[in-house]
Amino acid sequence: MLYYRDIVFERPQPHEIQRLGFLPADLHFHTCYSDSATRVQDALRLAAEQGIGLAITDHNQIGGVVEAQRQGMGVPLIPGIEVSANDGPHILLYFYSVPDLQDFYQRHIERNRRDGPFTAIRLDTQEILDRHEDYACIAAEAHPCGYSFLNRGVERCVVGSCIGEEIFSRLDAFEVICGGMARTHNLKAARLAATHGLGRTGGTDGHLLHELGGVVTCAEADTVDEFLDAIRKRETVVIGRERPLAEKAVMATAVLPHHLPYTVPILRARWEQEFPRIRNFVQGRLGR
């Protein structure tokens, strides 16, 4: 097994991390504004108790971030969103300010959402990255080497010839520990981040309150601006562990009711995402 100096597969100890001069933050967490039952105030309260920062990254939504800023509670808040691209990847965008996030959302995301609010929007990865360049913003790829049977990770899209390899140079970071992935997926993401000179982030991809803080990104920073700068400069340390299979099953069961009302638009979007990979596979078998 490969090990990395700045990627540690252990349960985080936030107060010990802070004692060493680092700010720990869970950079991938969902709330009731997305496909989770977790209230924003509960997530903020637990983050404050743990002594960590928090990025609320709801699917194609920013209401949780806006509410979190209004409530405050002294938690370092990294304004974020998880954008589901039309061609498969999930892109985590972290903004230096909430007004910039709101402007980006209103101009580019809200008008391109489908009927299913948590499924892919009508913009491809390249288009999303084109539009984010007008903002002070960090672009990281969520779970870049997953999921097993879905075209959701950028690495799977590149391997399947759905997206060109040049996409790596347009990203600032890879999520190298995602709490919802297997260790093999995360290690592959770490290797790719090193190969392409990308920054490293980590987060729980949590939907249930008790998952918060299970994976953290750490940086020598006193402010959100300094924290995001550290990601861009590849000066972060990621600490955390993947959830056991039983806990993943519990989370999937809790999330499912939020998706069921949008089954038809979700299936339609999935077909659009998977069709290029299926077509390439068939053409390869036919020798075309």
Side-chain angles (χ1 to χ4, degrees):
M1 180 178 291
L2 294 177
Y3 291 89
Y4 298 85
R5 182 178 58 183
D6 52 359
I7 303 172
V8 183
F9 291 99
E10 296 179 359
R11 182 168 183 79
Q13 303 295 330
H15 296 295
E16 180 64 18
I17 293 169
Q18 287 184 327
R19 189 184 67 80
L20 295 173
F22 289 83
L23 170 62
D26 188 335
L27 293 187
H28 192 170
F29 194 80
H30 299 278
T31 73
C32 58
Y33 284 86
S34 183
D35 53 348
S36 164
T38 301
R39 299 185 303 174
V40 170
Q41 64 187 37
D42 294 332
L44 289 174
R45 186 177 298 111
L46 182 56
E49 291 174 2
Q50 293 181 352
I52 66 173
L54 176 62
I56 293 173
T57 52
D58 286 324
H59 296 287
N60 312 319
Q61 308 270 357
I62 63 168
V65 179
V66 174
E67 181 182 337
Q69 185 193 43
R70 185 170 62 249
Q71 293 196 20
M73 298 180 66
V75 173
L77 179 68
I78 296 94
I81 184 172
E82 183 175 6
V83 183
S84 306
N86 189 54
D87 48 357
H90 287 194
I91 305 167
L92 292 164
L93 297 176
Y94 304 109
F95 289 77
Y96 283 72
S97 72
V98 173
D100 271 1
L101 170 59
Q102 291 175 299
D103 186 80
F104 176 82
Y105 174 77
Q106 291 164 1
R107 288 174 179 267
H108 305 296
I109 304 302
E110 188 172 32
R111 64 184 61 183
N112 286 298
R113 295 197 324 176
R114 283 187 167 89
D115 293 337
F118 316 130
T119 192
I121 65 171
R122 295 186 180 90
L123 298 177
D124 288 343
T125 301
Q126 293 280 12
E127 294 174 298
I128 294 166
L129 294 177
D130 285 343
R131 299 181 187 209
H132 102 290
E133 289 182 349
D134 293 330
Y135 299 85
C137 175
I138 299 290
E141 170 64 8
H143 36 71
C145 301
Y147 290 73
S148 297
F149 302 104
L150 297 173
N151 213 22
R152 285 192 192 171
V154 69
E155 182 263 349
R156 292 182 58 81
C157 293
V158 170
V159 170
S161 300
C162 303
I163 299 178
E165 192 168 344
E166 69 277 0
I167 196 68
F168 294 126
S169 66
R170 303 205 58 196
L171 293 164
D172 297 298
F174 261 15
E175 185 177 58
V176 296
I177 303 183
C178 174
M181 289 289 99
R183 178 67 54 86
T184 53
H185 287 92
N186 286 331
L187 284 171
K188 185 187 289 188
R191 289 195 295 271
L192 281 171
T195 298
H196 295 282
L198 297 174
R200 297 158 177 83
T201 67
T204 55
D205 195 3
H207 294 68
L208 303 178
L209 184 60
H210 74 269
E211 297 170 336
L212 180 65
V215 181
V216 294
T217 304
C218 310
E220 292 186 82
D222 294 318
T223 66
V224 169
D225 286 10
E226 291 175 354
F227 190 95
L228 293 177
D229 286 344
I231 297 174
R232 194 187 300 276
K233 295 175 183 176
R234 303 190 295 278
E235 295 175 348
T236 55
V237 176
V238 182
I239 305 173
R241 292 191 302 195
E242 301 85 359
R243 289 188 292 278
L245 185 60
E247 290 188 19
K248 292 177 184 178
V250 170
M251 190 196 80
T253 301
V255 168
L256 183 61
H258 297 276
H259 290 262
L260 283 176
Y262 308 104
T263 300
V264 172
I266 287 173
L267 291 175
R268 186 183 302 122
R270 293 276 168 80
W271 167 249
E272 291 178 15
Q273 289 174 341
E274 296 299 321
F275 179 75
R277 187 157 62 92
I278 296 170
R279 180 191 58 205
N280 292 340
F281 174 80
V282 171
Q283 290 177 344
R285 285 301 182 96
L286 294 176
R288 295 179 181 177

